[in-house]
Amino acid sequence: MFLKNVSAFAKKKPKNVILLIGDGMGLTQIYSGYTANKGQLSLFNIPTQGLSITKSSDSYITDSAAGATAMATGHKTNNRFISVDENGKPLELITQQLAKKNYKTAIISAGDITDATPAGFYAHQSDRSYSEPIANDFLSNPSDILIGGGPKQFKSRKDGKDLSKVLIEKGYTFSDKFSSLDTIKNSKFIVLDDASVVSMKAGRGDFLSKSLAKATSTFAKTKNPFFIMAEGAQIDYGGHQNNVEYVVREMLDFDKVVGQAMEFVDKNPETLLIVTADHETGGLSLIDGSIEKGYVHGSFSTNDHTAVPVPVFAYGAGAQNFAGVYQNIAIYSKIMEVISGE
Ligand SMILES: [Zn+2]
């Protein structure tokens, strides 16, 4: 029944876009989650897949900065660069372009909001480590909602500026307590709480699910279309630590959000859901396991990123355009093409 719906809508023009980025999520990270969860994964119920080639302008192996820039601007750039070109010139962001089309936008991360992946969607800096300038760039970005960690870069800065005051003047609600999320009535808000973006093992709980639900329910009150980017930031951390258990816990949390987003698409078929990664982390190979027992044993070939193309799963209106093998920058251009019905 629902698959019939999906194929009927797959060729239609979407209004809303949900982009879920599993940082460091290659096929083996996905399959380790599937195995540990005894053969259950929402992601594997998405019928349309593609492969994204992730290389950056100056490296065979991308980092999250160049990876986010590719998806947020449609341009390849150098590693460490945040949505600026190889010469350091700012590139127009999908959040800026969509704001001109009356979109509401939300940027969510289960990590620090000034980290490379979320930063790529609102900032322009020539190095990913410039956390304070990255936070400052949010002042000139039109996005409505920001949820993640990293209040320090906004409130206790070395330059003494308190960005939260400026943002409140601009009409945002600003909170450093994730527990206040449900009480926020404003359609523009920023919630940055370091304690809410610890690892799953350390008790992050349903941070991502709650954040996505809050963003969709806030935008549902407007007539505007929306774009939401939500990042499962810590699949990458597990890869860097060569820790399969870390990868699996984070992968399954991310997959829960995938399932939640799929349900949203089922109820709101004018929505396109894209689930992908910026790169694979750890060169993970699965060398033993049992789906019946939920046991998986992996081996890592590096504590850094690898070059292998990453899967793209697309669900809902416009999904069929995401089949095939293409460069990571095509994720941006395909989104822009399908929403404008080209
Ligand atoms: Zn990484």
Side-chain angles (χ1 to χ4, degrees):
M1 173 67 187
F2 98 150
L3 279 178
K4 222 190 252 172
N5 261 340
V6 168
S7 51
F9 280 102
K11 285 181 186 165
K12 291 225 166 112
K13 178 181 148 180
K15 200 175 90 174
N16 309 313
V17 179
I18 301 174
L19 172 62
L20 300 180
I21 300 177
D23 200 308
M25 185 186 73
L27 190 54
T28 49
Q29 284 76 8
I30 296 170
Y31 199 67
S32 68
Y34 174 88
T35 306
N37 206 33
K38 300 186 174 175
Q40 298 272 348
L41 211 57
S42 291
L43 202 45
F44 282 179
N45 295 322
I46 296 183
T48 306
Q49 300 89 33
L51 284 175
S52 165
I53 295 173
T54 63
K55 83 170 281 301
S56 67
S57 290
D58 66 343
S59 176
Y60 181 57
I61 300 170
T62 190
D63 72 345
S64 294
T69 301
M71 291 186 266
T73 72
H75 291 268
K76 297 255 188 194
T77 192
N78 295 340
N79 283 1
R80 307 199 64 84
F81 285 27
I82 302 286
S83 291
V84 293
D85 69 12
E86 294 92 336
N87 302 310
K89 195 172 145 265
L91 296 160
E92 202 181 13
L93 303 165
I94 192 166
T95 49
Q96 297 174 310
Q97 288 162 339
L98 292 178
K100 288 184 206 156
K101 295 176 187 276
N102 268 327
Y103 272 68
K104 299 282 176 193
T105 58
I107 301 166
I108 300 165
S109 175
D112 196 320
I113 207 71
T114 58
D115 278 354
T117 305
F121 287 82
Y122 66 84
H124 307 279
Q125 292 295 333
S126 56
D127 197 287
R128 57 185 292 168
S129 67
Y130 299 162
S131 307
E132 290 194 0
I134 286 170
N136 198 63
D137 281 353
F138 186 74
L139 299 180
S140 43
N141 185 268
S143 294
D144 303 270
I145 295 176
L146 207 55
I147 312 173
K152 192 166 149 265
Q153 282 76 31
F154 287 75
K155 291 188 74 173
S156 347
R157 298 161 56 92
K158 290 184 205 102
D159 66 5
K161 262 174 122 184
D162 185 346
L163 305 186
S164 70
K165 282 192 185 145
V166 186
L167 288 160
I168 290 165
E169 275 164 28
K170 287 174 69 114
Y172 290 89
T173 295
F174 190 100
S175 169
D176 52 14
K177 294 267 177 301
F178 185 68
S179 56
S180 73
L181 190 73
D182 288 339
T183 64
I184 295 172
K185 301 260 179 344
N186 196 347
S187 63
K188 286 162 72 106
F189 63 85
I190 292 149
V191 176
L192 302 176
D193 182 354
D194 288 334
S196 68
V197 293
V198 295
S199 67
M200 284 308 286
K201 191 174 184 177
R204 192 171 74 242
D206 48 10
F207 167 86
L208 271 180
S209 302
K210 274 191 176 156
S211 300
L212 178 65
K214 179 68 177 177
T216 54
S217 66
T218 301
F219 294 152
K221 290 178 199 139
T222 72
K223 289 250 150 61
N224 306 56
F226 68 73
F227 172 77
I228 298 172
M229 191 293 291
E231 184 204 16
Q234 302 202 22
I235 301 166
D236 178 65
Y237 301 4
H240 285 291
Q241 289 186 17
N242 286 3
N243 182 332
V244 177
E245 186 199 334
Y246 198 158
V247 168
V248 164
R249 283 179 188 270
E250 295 296 332
M251 182 63 226
L252 292 178
D253 174 57
F254 185 69
D255 188 64
K256 219 171 81 186
V257 180
V258 171
Q260 181 186 341
M262 289 172 75
E263 278 173 31
F264 183 88
V265 173
D266 291 338
K267 289 184 194 133
N268 303 272
E270 287 173 306
T271 307
L272 167 65
L273 166 66
I274 301 147
V275 188
T276 189
D278 45 358
H279 52 73
E280 193 272 349
T281 305
L284 176 61
S285 55
L286 304 180
I287 48 180
D288 196 11
S290 161
I291 288 168
E292 292 70 33
K293 293 182 184 138
Y295 155 75
V296 60
H297 181 54
S299 171
F300 294 89
S301 60
T302 172
N303 60 12
D304 212 334
H305 306 159
T306 69
V308 66
V310 290
V312 182
F313 295 82
Y315 189 69
Q320 283 189 346
N321 298 61
F322 290 81
V325 181
Y326 40 82
Q327 298 291 329
N328 53 3
I329 53 176
I331 293 169
Y332 162 89
S333 49
K334 286 174 189 292
I335 292 172
M336 295 308 281
E337 275 164 31
V338 293
I339 61 168
S340 50
E342 281 163 23

